[in-house]
Amino acid sequence: MEARVAEQLRGALGQLGFEVHAFKVGWYNAVLQTAFHLPYPDDTLAFVVLSTPSMFDKALKPFVNKERLKIIRDPVDQCVSHHLSCVKEKFPDQKVDIICDYEILPNRKPKFLAQTAAHVAGAAYYYQRKDVKLDPWGKKKIYGVCIHPKYGGWFAIRALLLFPDIQVPFLEQSAPIDCVSTEEKRIELLEQFNFHWQDWRYRDIIEVKERYSEEQKAYFATPPAERFRLLGLPGEGQRSTFH
């Protein structure tokens, strides 16, 4: 069942510049505090959805051209939501829950921890402070970051798709590829991500197969309220987002 669902999802979303990776809810819940658990049985089938560099041209720009009068919030968020809703319709006999990366709970916590989901699904390795043996940062707050084996940091985690009626007790977990394997490189990655993220360098911590185009980099480097203008749209974005 998992293989058939995965094939359908990849067929629909792959051509739009998205990747999907399967995981069991239990893998995710096992590494998090109870407050962050997804409220599903451990064997529930889920997928994490990533956008790759080609999503900008394959999904976002066509969506904007077609739906320009209906875009009232962040265009990328609306584009992702639109395509996931279309995919959901391909499973009329299944319950499909969609959780997008921008959704928050009443307590302001995110509905899911995107980087943890990507890591347990084997999609991208989540490098954190604990992955560095000789910690050079003292009392500084250091945030972790996911690196994709093909795209480095040139991707984004967009959503979860959950299938509450599909239980997959025998699904085997694939470890994410540890592509930043030396202590020196891990320190460099976390330094660049935490203190120099605006210069994009952390995204190239490994040799990548594809990165954002100059047009796409300019779009995401532009303050959200001004991104509408770059796409030829009226109005203002309401959410500050870095992708």
Side-chain angles (χ1 to χ4, degrees):
M1 175 63 85
E2 175 273 330
R4 193 164 76 244
V5 172
E7 185 178 357
Q8 280 186 267
L9 290 175
R10 289 181 183 125
L13 293 171
Q15 62 188 348
L16 297 167
F18 295 100
E19 277 187 5
V20 294
H21 297 263
F23 68 98
K24 290 201 296 187
V25 165
W27 302 345
Y28 174 90
N29 287 348
V31 297
L32 292 172
Q33 297 173 344
T34 307
F36 292 104
H37 283 189
L38 293 169
Y40 300 85
D42 282 352
D43 288 335
T44 303
L45 177 63
F47 293 85
V48 63
V49 181
L50 315 180
S51 62
T52 73
S54 65
M55 184 276 291
F56 192 79
D57 285 324
K58 290 180 176 178
L60 179 63
K61 290 187 354 186
F63 173 77
V64 167
N65 288 335
K66 186 179 178 186
E67 306 285 342
R68 55 194 315 110
L69 297 179
K70 298 178 186 174
I71 296 177
I72 55 172
R73 55 185 175 86
D74 186 279
V76 173
D77 290 348
Q78 210 165 331
C79 171
V80 172
S81 177
H82 166 78
H83 286 299
L84 294 184
S85 296
C86 291
V87 164
K88 183 175 179 176
E89 293 173 7
K90 294 182 181 295
F91 299 93
D93 300 325
Q94 295 290 345
K95 179 173 169 53
V96 184
D97 292 340
I98 300 170
I99 309 176
C100 292
D101 69 307
Y102 53 82
E103 294 184 63
I104 57 173
L105 297 165
N107 61 8
R108 308 299 295 172
K109 284 187 164 78
K111 283 195 174 181
F112 77 99
L113 299 185
Q115 300 199 103
T116 300
H119 187 94
V120 300
Y125 200 107
Y126 184 22
Y127 292 97
Q128 302 175 73
R129 189 173 192 158
K130 64 183 177 63
D131 295 311
V132 172
K133 293 186 180 70
L134 299 174
D135 186 323
W137 297 294
K139 294 182 178 179
K140 290 179 182 175
K141 176 75 173 174
I142 299 295
Y143 294 95
V145 61
C146 273
I147 295 297
H148 190 287
K150 184 175 178 182
Y151 304 114
W154 301 101
F155 77 103
I157 304 156
R158 299 296 180 185
L160 297 185
L161 295 172
L162 296 118
F163 291 78
D165 298 331
I166 301 179
Q167 301 297 300
V168 285
F170 302 111
L171 186 65
E172 292 187 10
Q173 188 169 12
S174 297
I177 296 173
D178 180 5
C179 48
V180 186
S181 55
T182 69
E183 177 94 349
E184 192 175 57
K185 275 291 187 184
R186 290 179 178 181
I187 291 173
E188 182 184 343
L189 170 65
L190 294 175
E191 282 275 338
Q192 289 179 358
F193 178 69
N194 281 271
F195 307 117
H196 309 284
W197 58 267
Q198 288 170 304
D199 67 15
W200 310 90
R201 281 184 298 155
Y202 83 89
R203 298 176 187 259
D204 282 318
I205 193 69
I206 63 169
E207 188 174 331
V208 298
K209 301 275 196 307
E210 189 180 353
R211 56 172 58 84
Y212 291 177
S213 64
E214 290 305 313
E215 180 186 15
Q216 188 170 181
K217 284 161 68 175
Y219 176 81
F220 287 124
T222 299
E226 297 171 29
R227 291 176 185 172
F228 279 58
R229 180 178 49 78
L230 289 183
L231 294 172
L233 296 169
E236 292 189 345
Q238 298 173 352
R239 192 175 67 92
S240 177
T241 313
F242 179 70
H243 296 269

